[in-house]
């Protein structure tokens, strides 16, 4: 990693602005961590110049839903049903987190490093373990460049204890994560809603209808009867009518295609989600079983769209990966534009033939990956992963 206050990046292509438009032969000048100039044509009038004639500059991605601590023991229990493996609080995962408690900080730090090197600048984490779990993660992210956004998972189930825990969690975290609203009675959900909604800038996110069982138990209706969340995660068994309600209520849907396939053998209904126009972000979910690389999910989403819709909308996929995550929690996304902080990467090299690609955005979605990231810029920090 190199730190520099002023530098220029020359690229054959760049994805620029909120509309993620594609431009050719672009120079991007960064000073004090902020993009101050974008123009056509390459520049040499700077001491620090990075030039990639066959490369493309892209805003960094957001992983909008993860369980980072699962990284402590990957690929255990691959033959188990989802509830037996990750169900709260008696799944094998929770036994592992307890048994390997002393190694969780190191595991989370490794996870965040892996995410950054794959082009992910923001990670939104369902952090198990209440206050103690949050403190472990906050220590783990010290010294890392990844923008770590924890959501605290509650451990208490009585009103008084829950209120005390909520007060502390809302001091430490961006908000509250509900493994399922079905784990809480009406009184507790009302306590959570009141506390969070009266705490400026805090959010609520919840797993919803990931399995057929939770859908039959009407977790979606139960949640919305008591809480207006900012995100719901999965929605694998929701209908077009329910996606329309999410759209009307301006609630983001975080989809996790590879995780859904692994744990329940089913993809989210991308065709219905796309047709309705609900706002979407993308997550990789449990890091112990799903490699935390958004790139893999992007290709899967493109394949589902092609199969279910007969065509692919690369802009929709890229917006979900770049804009959706930050916007879902009230943050500004990392677009490449003058006046914005520099959070971008350059993909280049023999494994990424962008120059010859007919559809360059689709090539980015299908062929992008950590192996082709030549440079990562995070404000004043330049990272060249393969040097």
């Amino acid at each position: 990693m190199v730190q520099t206050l002023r530098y220029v990046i020359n690229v054959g292509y760049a994805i620029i602005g909120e509309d993620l438009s594609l431009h050719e032969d672009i120079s991007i000048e960064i000073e004090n961590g902020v993009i101050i100039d974008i123009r056509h044509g390459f520049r040499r009038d700077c001491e620090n110049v990075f030039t990639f004639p066959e490369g493309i500059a892209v805003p960094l991605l957001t992983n909008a839903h993860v369980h980072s601590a699962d990284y402590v023991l990957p690929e255990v229990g691959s033959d188990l049903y989802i509830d037996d493996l990750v169900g709260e609080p008696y799944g094998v995962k929770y036994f592992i987190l307890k048994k390997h408690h002393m190694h969780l900080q190191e595991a989370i730090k490794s996870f965040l490093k892996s995410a950054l090197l794959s082009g992910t600048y923001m990670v939104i984490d369902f952090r198990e373990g209440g206050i103690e779990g949050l403190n472990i993660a906050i220590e783990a992210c010290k010294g890392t460049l990844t923008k770590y956004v924890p959501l605290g998972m509650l451990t208490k189930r009585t009103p008084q204890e829950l209120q005390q825990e909520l007060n502390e969690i809302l001091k430490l975290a961006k908000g509250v994560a509900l493994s399922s609203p079905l784990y809480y009675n009406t009184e507790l959900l009302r306590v959570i809603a009141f506390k969070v909604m009266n705490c400026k800038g805090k959010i609520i996110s919840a797993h919803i209808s990931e399995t057929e069982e939770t859908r039959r138990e009407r977790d979606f209706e139960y949640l919305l009867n008591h809480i207006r969340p900012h995100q719901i995660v999965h929605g694998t068994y929701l209908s077009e009518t329910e996606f329309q309600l999410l759209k009307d209520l301006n609630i983001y849907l975080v989809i996790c295609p590879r995780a859904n396939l692994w744990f329940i053998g089913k993809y989210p209904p991308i065709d219905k989600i796309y047709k309705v126009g609900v706002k979407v972000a993308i997550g990789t979910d449990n890091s112990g079983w799903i490699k935390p690389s958004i790139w893999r999910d992007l290709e899967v989403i493109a394949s589902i769209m092609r199969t279910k819709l007969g065509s692919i909308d690369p802009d929709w996929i890229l917006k979900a990966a770049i804009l959706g995550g930050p916007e879902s929690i009230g943050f500004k996304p990392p677009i490449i534009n003058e006046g914005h902080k520099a959070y971008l990467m350059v993909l280049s090299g023999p494994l990424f033939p962008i120059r010859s690609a007919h559809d360059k955005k689709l090539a980015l979605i299908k062929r992008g990956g950590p192996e082709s990231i030549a440079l990562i810029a995070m404000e004043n920090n330049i990272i060249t992963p393969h040097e």
Side-chain angles (χ1 to χ4, degrees):
M1 182 175 71
V2 175
Q3 288 190 319
T4 180
L5 296 179
R6 182 171 176 265
Y7 56 97
V8 169
I9 300 173
N10 296 316
V11 285
Y13 302 92
I15 301 291
I16 295 175
E18 289 189 14
D19 61 351
L20 304 184
S21 56
L22 180 69
H23 297 258
E24 188 171 357
D25 292 333
I26 294 294
S27 69
I28 304 166
E29 182 180 1
I30 294 100
E31 187 171 27
N32 295 322
V34 176
I35 300 170
I36 63 169
D37 185 72
I38 299 175
R39 68 179 72 172
H40 287 279
F42 289 179
R43 294 176 53 187
R44 308 289 179 186
D45 56 337
C46 180
E47 183 179 351
N48 300 296
V49 178
F50 303 88
T51 300
F52 302 91
E54 305 297 318
I56 182 170
V58 184
L60 291 173
L61 310 177
T62 290
N63 196 335
H65 178 72
V66 305
H67 296 266
S68 65
D70 299 358
Y71 215 59
V72 73
L73 190 65
E75 315 311 342
V76 66
S78 61
D79 57 338
L80 296 177
Y81 176 64
I82 182 171
D83 284 347
D84 299 326
L85 188 56
V86 299
E88 185 189 8
Y90 302 115
V92 168
K93 156 184 164 163
Y94 287 89
F95 171 77
I96 291 169
L97 295 181
K98 184 176 180 180
K99 181 178 180 181
H100 296 275
H101 178 266
M102 298 301 294
H103 303 291
L104 295 184
Q105 183 175 318
E106 179 184 351
I108 294 170
K109 189 179 286 289
S110 295
F111 169 87
L112 293 174
K113 181 179 179 181
S114 171
L116 180 61
L117 293 178
S118 71
T120 300
Y121 98 111
M122 180 184 287
V123 167
I124 304 173
D125 191 12
F126 265 43
R127 186 71 276 272
E128 299 86 357
I131 297 162
E132 183 182 6
L134 282 169
N135 282 322
I136 289 170
I138 289 166
E139 284 298 312
C141 73
K142 288 181 178 178
T144 68
L145 292 177
T146 310
K147 190 171 186 61
Y148 178 68
V149 183
L151 303 175
M153 294 179 70
L154 299 158
T155 62
K156 308 302 182 184
R157 293 295 187 268
T158 66
Q160 185 175 358
E161 289 181 329
L162 187 83
Q163 287 195 50
Q164 293 174 348
E165 187 177 40
L166 263 172
N167 288 336
E168 292 302 311
I169 281 177
L170 293 175
K171 291 177 185 176
L172 297 170
K174 178 64 178 172
V176 174
L178 302 180
S179 188
S180 171
L182 299 172
Y183 294 160
Y184 303 87
N185 63 33
T186 296
E187 182 182 5
L188 294 181
L189 286 183
R190 287 174 177 166
V191 169
I192 295 167
F194 179 81
K195 283 282 186 182
V196 177
M197 296 309 175
N198 285 280
C199 196
K200 187 177 180 181
K202 303 300 181 178
I203 75 153
I204 297 174
S205 182
H207 292 148
I208 291 293
S209 297
E210 181 178 7
T211 67
E212 194 170 11
E213 179 184 5
T214 56
R215 185 70 208 102
R216 284 199 306 267
E217 293 173 344
R218 299 179 66 81
D219 60 346
F220 179 74
E221 293 82 358
Y222 184 57
L223 177 72
L224 293 186
N225 281 341
H226 302 289
I227 289 177
R228 180 71 61 84
H230 299 78
Q231 294 179 340
I232 73 161
V233 182
H234 298 305
T236 319
Y237 282 90
L238 293 182
S239 69
E240 203 164 317
T241 300
E242 289 143 0
F243 291 134
Q244 184 64 53
L245 182 56
L246 290 180
K247 180 183 179 182
D248 294 343
L249 294 175
N250 198 34
I251 297 170
Y252 277 79
L253 172 67
V254 184
I255 58 173
C256 307
R258 286 184 299 134
N260 293 157
L261 180 63
W262 178 259
F263 288 117
I264 63 172
K266 178 180 172 65
Y267 286 125
I270 300 292
D271 52 340
K272 297 175 184 176
I273 293 166
Y274 179 78
K275 287 177 182 177
V276 168
V278 61
K279 293 181 178 179
V280 174
I282 303 169
T284 58
D285 204 12
N286 298 85
S287 65
W289 296 273
I290 310 299
K291 183 177 180 179
S293 175
I294 291 291
W295 296 105
R296 291 190 173 190
D297 284 283
L298 299 189
E299 184 174 3
V300 168
I301 292 168
S303 296
I304 297 171
M305 290 189 86
R306 184 176 186 273
T307 301
K308 295 291 187 179
L309 294 168
S311 62
I312 302 166
D313 186 343
D315 285 305
W316 185 86
I317 298 172
L318 290 174
K319 286 177 180 177
I322 294 166
L323 310 180
E327 290 177 345
S328 72
I329 57 171
F331 288 5
K332 291 182 178 180
I335 61 174
I336 300 175
N337 230 347
E338 292 175 3
H340 287 252
K341 290 183 178 180
Y343 290 109
L344 61 92
M345 59 183 150
V346 177
L347 288 87
S348 186
L351 298 176
F352 187 68
I354 192 69
R355 179 71 70 177
S356 59
H358 173 70
D359 186 329
K360 291 176 171 45
K361 288 183 179 179
L362 184 57
L364 179 63
I365 288 165
K366 291 186 65 185
R367 300 174 186 273
E371 70 283 351
S372 299
I373 298 176
L375 179 145
I376 297 170
M378 298 189 72
E379 298 189 31
N380 293 325
N381 299 292
I382 296 289
I383 302 166
T384 49
H386 304 295
E387 290 185 1

